[in-house]
């Protein structure tokens, strides 16, 4: 027993001060079901990962878990440790989606999305910034905050990315079974071809849900005869030969 103790002491002595402190922390009272303790261990360990890519990815996953546990402020603290702008955008998405799954109150939702938007504004890389706003709009649509999703999407200056955000919101709204909200999002798209494509996508979504009336209504809003015919064809095939119709 004494030899084991001596070996352990020599091991800790050989570690750097940071690694030694971390090793000592890990020996503290922390069982397998104590999630706050485990999250601290995870964050402390992640702080010591030398490879930026892996460190950022681990922070991203930790931030998502914190959001699911309704620890939004702590999740944002972790978010701010991330260096790569694309990973920042993905983490903003992860926090938003997990906050929705955490069933926050409306006031907590608004506070969360306000904070996420403030974090997105810190991103200096334009493509990552646009992606972050798209993800915020998608999370808002997922939370049935359709007015917020619309406001976020319309604030985007790049027309292509703005239309993409509106289309993504419409798909989420259609998945929720809300034709009215999806139609309003698509109506804000200023590119006719993109608008037709979006209506075609939600028509398929409704057909897959066996909401054939909504599917047909969406198909009728397509201003391209070929695309409209394809949407109706899919709608019919879902009813007549469902076993041969591939899901979207």
């Amino acid at each position: 027993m004494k030899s084991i103790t001596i070996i352990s002491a020599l091991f800790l002595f050989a570690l750097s001060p940071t690694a030694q402190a971390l090793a000592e922390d890990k020996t503290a009272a922390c069982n397998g079901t104590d999630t706050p303790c485990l999250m601290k261990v995870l964050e402390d360990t992640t702080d010591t990962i030398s490879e930026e890519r892996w460190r950022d990815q681990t922070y991203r996953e930790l931030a998502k878990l914190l959001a699911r546990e309704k620890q939004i402020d702590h999740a944002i603290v972790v978010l701010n440790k991330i260096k790569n702008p694309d990973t920042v955008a993905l983490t903003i998405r992860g926090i938003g989606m997990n906050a929705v799954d955490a069933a926050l109150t409306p006031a907590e939702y608004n506070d969360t999305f306000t904070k996420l938007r403030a974090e997105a504004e810190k991103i200096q890389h334009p493509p990552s910034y646009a992606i972050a706003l798209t993800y915020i709009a998608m999370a808002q649509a997922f939370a049935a905050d359709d007015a917020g999703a619309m406001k976020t999407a319309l604030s985007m200056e790049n027309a292509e990315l703005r239309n993409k955000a509106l289309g993504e919101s419409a798909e989420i709204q259609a998945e929720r079974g809300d034709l009215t909200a999806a139609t309003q999002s698509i109506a804000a798209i200023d590119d006719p071809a993109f608008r037709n494509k979006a209506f075609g996508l939600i028509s398929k979504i409704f057909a897959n849900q066996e909401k054939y009336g909504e599917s047909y209504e969406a198909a009728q809003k397509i201003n391209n005869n070929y695309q409209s015919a394809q949407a109706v064809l899919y709608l019919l095939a879902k009813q007549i030969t469902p076993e041969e119709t591939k899901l979207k």
Side-chain angles (χ1 to χ4, degrees):
M1 181 64 71
K2 181 181 290 187
S3 62
I4 294 175
T5 303
I6 293 172
I7 291 171
S8 298
L10 289 172
F11 171 72
L12 288 174
F13 181 77
L15 293 174
S16 66
T18 301
Q20 181 174 339
L22 184 59
E24 290 171 348
D25 283 345
K26 287 183 178 180
T27 64
C30 190
N31 62 52
T33 59
D34 186 350
T35 54
C37 184
L38 292 170
M39 284 185 177
K40 183 181 186 310
V41 169
L42 176 58
E43 184 172 357
D44 290 345
T45 305
T46 305
D47 289 343
T48 68
I49 296 173
S50 59
E51 177 61 44
E52 181 179 293
R53 176 186 175 189
W54 303 123
R55 187 173 64 249
D56 281 355
Q57 289 182 6
T58 309
Y59 281 140
R60 179 193 67 205
E61 296 306 311
L62 172 59
K64 289 160 63 175
L65 291 176
L66 288 165
R68 182 65 69 92
E69 291 291 298
K70 302 184 180 181
Q71 297 184 46
I72 305 301
D73 288 340
H74 192 173
I76 290 174
V77 168
V78 172
L79 169 69
N80 277 285
K81 295 183 177 185
I82 297 172
K83 304 299 182 184
N84 183 275
D86 284 342
T87 309
V88 170
L90 284 169
T91 307
I92 286 173
R93 177 188 187 277
I95 293 172
M97 290 297 191
N98 279 276
V100 173
D101 288 335
L104 303 179
T105 66
E108 288 171 332
Y109 279 131
N110 290 335
D111 184 59
T112 296
F113 288 124
T114 297
K115 289 175 178 177
L116 290 178
R117 179 59 187 262
E119 293 304 317
E121 292 301 324
K122 297 177 183 178
I123 299 175
Q124 299 298 312
H125 184 241
S128 299
Y129 170 70
I131 291 169
L133 294 192
T134 300
Y135 286 153
I136 291 173
M138 290 171 65
Q140 288 172 308
F142 192 65
D145 178 12
D146 298 318
M150 178 74 77
K151 182 178 179 180
T152 299
L154 292 179
S155 71
M156 300 172 68
E157 295 182 2
N158 184 288
E160 182 178 354
L161 294 173
R162 180 176 64 247
N163 289 336
K164 183 178 185 299
L166 290 165
E168 296 280 5
S169 294
E171 289 185 55
I172 292 170
Q173 290 156 342
E175 293 285 1
R176 282 176 16 216
D178 193 335
L179 175 61
T180 299
T183 299
Q184 288 174 344
S185 292
I186 296 172
I189 294 173
D190 58 17
D191 180 86
F194 205 113
R195 193 163 54 242
N196 285 334
K197 180 182 178 181
F199 275 124
L201 285 172
I202 71 164
S203 179
K204 272 190 173 182
I205 290 171
F206 284 118
N208 292 340
Q209 295 173 342
E210 299 183 3
K211 294 182 178 180
Y212 302 125
E214 288 89 339
S215 176
Y216 179 64
E217 189 172 338
Q220 290 297 99
K221 295 181 183 297
I222 300 173
N223 293 321
N224 176 288
N225 290 340
Y226 172 72
Q227 289 175 285
S228 181
Q230 291 300 305
V232 175
L233 177 62
Y234 187 89
L235 167 60
L236 283 168
K238 280 295 297 180
Q239 296 175 76
I240 298 171
T241 58
E243 70 283 353
E244 298 177 13
T245 305
K246 294 182 179 179
L247 296 178
K248 171 179 169 288

